[in-house]
Amino acid sequence: LAKTTQPISMDSYEGQEVNITCSHNNIATNDYITWYQQFPSQGPRFIIQGYKTKVTNEVASLFIPADRKSSTLSLPRVSLSDTAVYYCLVGYDRGSTLGRLYFGRGTQLTVWP
Amino acid sequence: NAGVTQTPKFRVLKTGQSMTLLCAQDMNHEYMYWYRQDPGMGLRLIHYSVGEGTTAKGEVPDGYNVSRLKKQNFLLGLESAAPSQTSVYFCASRSPLNTEAFFGQGTRLTVV
């Protein structure tokens, strides 16, 4: 699995757009990029996945540059309820990494009034 | 549709006691996981399974054992609990080649 690096914490205010960038310099050709969100006292939940370019759903957008060595999760107009930990995962099920799912420490996003 | 269910939700153990945490999923998922979460440490993978009858070690397997006798169940055992195993434990499951995993509600374990 490719190692990922993301900021430990970020702060924002309600109504602002938040961009969380994840670095994954060793990403392999077949690796997908996946983001999860975790609220306090809950398990993480999947929010978005992409392979290249841009993916958008009702929750967030995921931007992936051509070299795929990084990705940016974009949350439009955040609210207090977006306060959570966000995890970036990179990988693909194959060979010795089959089935593994490592989360790391994630990015604590705090949204202020 | 219950999804992933963990039993129990809370437990207090004395040092040296043993216990088993049960995870059950009703989505017919091949892969199942046990994680622990400590303050400021994110989620750390303890053990995982890619199918019935198979298990593998994750990042922090010491002090834990697991079994996957049935596809829908994944058991996490603590043979001799230690205070360092005080944590919140999460179980998860997913299908192969799909990185969307579904998590249980967590088990808060305190070892005194």
Side-chain angles (χ1 to χ4, degrees), chain B:
Chain B
N1 197 345
V4 178
T5 303
Q6 292 182 228
T7 309
K9 293 183 175 56
F10 304 93
R11 185 72 185 268
V12 179
L13 282 180
K14 292 183 178 179
T15 297
Q17 286 185 321
S18 64
M19 79 162 294
T20 300
L21 280 67
L22 170 64
C23 177
Q25 53 97 2
D26 60 3
M27 295 171 283
N28 202 35
H29 287 164
E30 291 292 333
Y31 297 172
M32 295 188 74
Y33 305 84
W34 277 108
Y35 295 89
R36 64 175 289 173
Q37 186 165 40
D38 304 294
M41 297 297 291
L43 282 160
R44 292 186 290 173
L45 181 63
I46 306 172
H47 286 281
Y48 65 101
S49 168
V50 297
E52 182 178 318
T54 71
T55 63
K57 294 180 180 180
E59 304 168 273
V60 289
D62 294 342
Y64 305 94
N65 57 76
V66 288
S67 64
R68 184 99 180 267
L69 299 180
K70 294 183 178 181
K71 185 177 183 179
Q72 64 268 34
N73 296 335
F74 196 29
L75 278 63
L76 178 70
L78 286 73
E79 291 184 347
S80 179
S84 60
Q85 294 178 305
T86 293
S87 188
V88 178
Y89 292 84
F90 287 102
C91 175
S93 71
R94 71 178 174 104
S95 292
L97 303 180
N98 185 342
T99 55
E100 181 175 3
F102 296 83
F103 281 77
Q105 74 276 35
T107 295
R108 186 173 295 276
L109 175 66
T110 302
V111 182
V112 297

